[in-house]
Amino acid sequence: MKQRCCQRWSAAKETVVHDGEEDKVEEENTRAICNSSAMNDEQQSLLLSSSSRFSPPQGVKLSYGTAGFRADASLLPSALYRVGILAALRSLKTGSIIGLMITASHNKVSDNGVKIADPNGGMLSQHWEPFADALANALSPKHFLLLINEFVAKEGILMDGVSQAEVLLGRDTRPSGDALLEAARQGVTSVVGAVATDMGVLTTPQLHWMVRARNKGMQASEQDYFEQLSSSFRCLEDLIPAEKRKFDGLNNKVIVDGSNGVGGVKLKVLGSLLSALVIEVRNSSEDGGVLNDGVGADYVQKEKVAPHGFGSKDVGIRCASLDGDADRLVYFIVPPESSGRIDLVDGDKILSLFAVFIREQLSFLNENEGVTNSHQARLGVVQTAYANGASTNYLKQLGLEVNFTPTGVKYLHEKAAEFDIGIYFEANGHGTVLFSESFVGWLEAKTKEISSGSNGSEGKKAALRLLAVSKLINQAVGDALSGLLLVEVILQYMGWSVHRWNELYHDLPSRQLKVKVADRNAVITANAETVVVSPPGLQEAINAETGKYHKGRCFVRPSGTEDVVRVYAEASTQEAADTLANSVAKLVDQFLGLGSS
């Protein structure tokens, strides 16, 4: 019967595309629904009834990517309702708690979006993304129900009304959040046996953390999140050697741009639990400013200027910026001169700081504890091709293993999870540190030995530090709040000012451009998007052009959302980087541009 359902669905889809015979489609849909045994009558009736209240907007096609669904908030009620159903199905499939976060991150305030957090706190399995697309774009309630029937049959999901499901709902501070959350709640509860739990206004990383914690059997309230971060921070502070405690007065202070979003409010709460660090939050959502308007990590990183509310009074003080939902973090330095430009300390520099610290702790473990090869942790760093070449060279000079993945957090996270300790960051400030379960278990066993001894060796202290880092940094997803605390405590441990940190290496000048093309899918890349394999001859032309420039590096890749090809170039001077980027852009246009055919 399920096979007949799949055949009818395929036939119905062909009819939609080629014949436009809507009546025939409805007839086929109805037959397939009636003949399918994936759902009982009560469940089918409930879905048909609830879906009729959420008609999809005409002429709008949504696509689920790294950011989930994202659009003008007025276009999203139907998508939120349907993602609520998807989240409930995901919970039934995995037998775990799932998260649903309503946010549009660094987008303008009139936008909103939604994304799913899987049981481990990570992003929705890529295997389910095509179903998310199909579900969001189904035009009629019956076609919508047919999609669900076919999918749950294929996945073996029991919609028997007996199996239980739970979805945690979170939203940021956007005014559209309440109405969209209600649409999502109705979606979740239209699946019999599914419960929607409203966790309130949260940062995106907080919701991901809560999902991961609940599925590990841990307490997972917002207060638990704050307590874990603050206690881990204090533990790391207590383990700073006395001779390295060089910070005092001004150096104990960091000023943070909250992007007029949810992160600023949460950081104020977190800061109140810390005594050794002064966090001054500006551009909090309580200040009356506009979300992501001239503020936030995305603005600071792209424009390389100080956000609103920062100026000459902040010279010499560490400054940082969060994005709208607090999953990105960058630091910056306001220079003495009034040029308006800043010295940006981006995600590459954050990655480098974390790598230096963790590498040192692992060396203490190996040197002081006589750790055997079976216990030596494998540390890996993961970047994309957009990482500045100077950062990659610096990390390799430290003797670290540097890996590259295609652009996208889901690829970085997946690769980092292959190591005992995996560090990944994008230049935009999104990243984290992942610790394998086996290595955390080993650290816990090692730290238990400390309680039985009077004085821990440097190796045992290093184990304590690493264990505290694994609890401080968000293991589920990039988290600006936990990342900021880890940056601050490592700077204290190293005795470094933000200027000393920024001098680890000097970025190579770079330029990014985009070229409109007839079909972006004509570009096929390999080696983490650094080499073009199609169309033939383009990569050879890029290599020839790049070879003309000192420290030249250039790659092109198709956009994931629009018919453009993106060009990235580096060279020893800004003029050379600009010229290289423009020259390669012309090559792309010759091979693929709108006039190339």
Side-chain angles (χ1 to χ4, degrees), residues 56-71:
Q58 295 298 309
V60 176
K61 185 173 183 180
L62 297 172
S63 179
Y64 195 102
T66 299
F69 293 124
R70 196 175 289 185

Side-chain angles (χ1 to χ4, degrees), residues 484-504:
L484 182 132
L485 294 191
L486 185 53
V487 166
E488 290 297 319
V489 78
I490 291 176
L491 290 177
Q492 289 189 31
Y493 172 87
M494 304 297 289
W496 286 0
S497 68
V498 66
H499 302 280
R500 170 67 181 82
W501 172 25
N502 194 39
E503 290 295 316
L504 284 179

Side-chain angles (χ1 to χ4, degrees), residues 58-96:
Q58 295 298 309
V60 176
K61 185 173 183 180
L62 297 172
S63 179
Y64 195 102
T66 299
F69 293 124
R70 196 175 289 185
D72 186 281
S74 64
L75 302 174
L76 290 174
S78 171
L80 266 292
Y81 159 79
R82 294 174 182 208
V83 172
I85 293 171
L86 182 146
L89 294 178
R90 186 71 181 155
S91 181
L92 288 174
K93 170 68 176 180
T94 60
S96 305

Side-chain angles (χ1 to χ4, degrees), residues 17 107 471:
V17 174
N107 282 36
K471 295 179 179 179

Side-chain angles (χ1 to χ4, degrees), residues 244-295:
K244 290 190 174 183
R245 293 181 179 274
K246 301 176 183 177
F247 277 37
D248 57 15
L250 189 64
N251 284 328
N252 277 349
K253 182 177 182 180
V254 59
I255 306 175
V256 183
D257 158 38
S259 194
N260 292 319
V262 63
V265 177
K266 303 302 183 183
L267 189 56
K268 286 182 178 180
V269 177
L270 185 57
S272 68
L273 302 176
L274 309 173
S275 58
L277 177 65
V278 177
I279 302 175
E280 178 185 332
V281 180
R282 297 180 192 164
N283 302 321
S284 129
S285 61
E286 301 169 321
D287 300 337
V290 178
L291 174 69
N292 296 328
D293 184 9
V295 294

Side-chain angles (χ1 to χ4, degrees), residues 244-398:
K244 290 190 174 183
R245 293 181 179 274
K246 301 176 183 177
F247 277 37
D248 57 15
L250 189 64
N251 284 328
N252 277 349
K253 182 177 182 180
V254 59
I255 306 175
V256 183
D257 158 38
S259 194
N260 292 319
V262 63
V265 177
K266 303 302 183 183
L267 189 56
K268 286 182 178 180
V269 177
L270 185 57
S272 68
L273 302 176
L274 309 173
S275 58
L277 177 65
V278 177
I279 302 175
E280 178 185 332
V281 180
R282 297 180 192 164
N283 302 321
S284 129
S285 61
E286 301 169 321
D287 300 337
V290 178
L291 174 69
N292 296 328
D293 184 9
V295 294
D298 188 65
Y299 172 78
V300 171
Q301 190 249 341
K302 283 186 169 60
E303 301 298 327
K304 294 183 174 57
V305 296
H308 292 169
F310 287 74
S312 58
K313 62 185 180 299
D314 305 311
V315 172
I317 305 175
R318 290 189 310 288
C319 300
S321 185
L322 320 177
D323 71 336
D325 66 338
D327 65 356
R328 294 185 185 183
L329 169 72
V330 296
Y331 274 71
F332 62 94
I333 303 166
V334 178
E337 65 276 7
S338 57
S339 64
R341 306 293 287 178
I342 58 167
D343 291 329
L344 178 68
V345 189
D346 64 6
D348 292 338
K349 286 274 174 72
I350 295 173
L351 184 155
S352 298
L353 179 69
F354 290 174
V356 167
F357 174 79
I358 291 172
R359 174 177 173 269
E360 180 175 295
Q361 304 313 307
L362 289 175
S363 70
F364 287 151
L365 276 177
N366 295 338
E367 293 168 7
N368 290 272
E369 295 304 308
V371 179
T372 64
N373 288 333
S374 61
H375 287 131
Q376 284 194 2
R378 185 181 174 211
L379 171 62
V381 172
V382 189
Q383 296 183 308
T384 73
Y386 284 109
N388 193 277
S391 73
T392 305
N393 291 337
Y394 174 77
L395 294 165
K396 288 181 176 179
Q397 287 169 7
L398 290 178

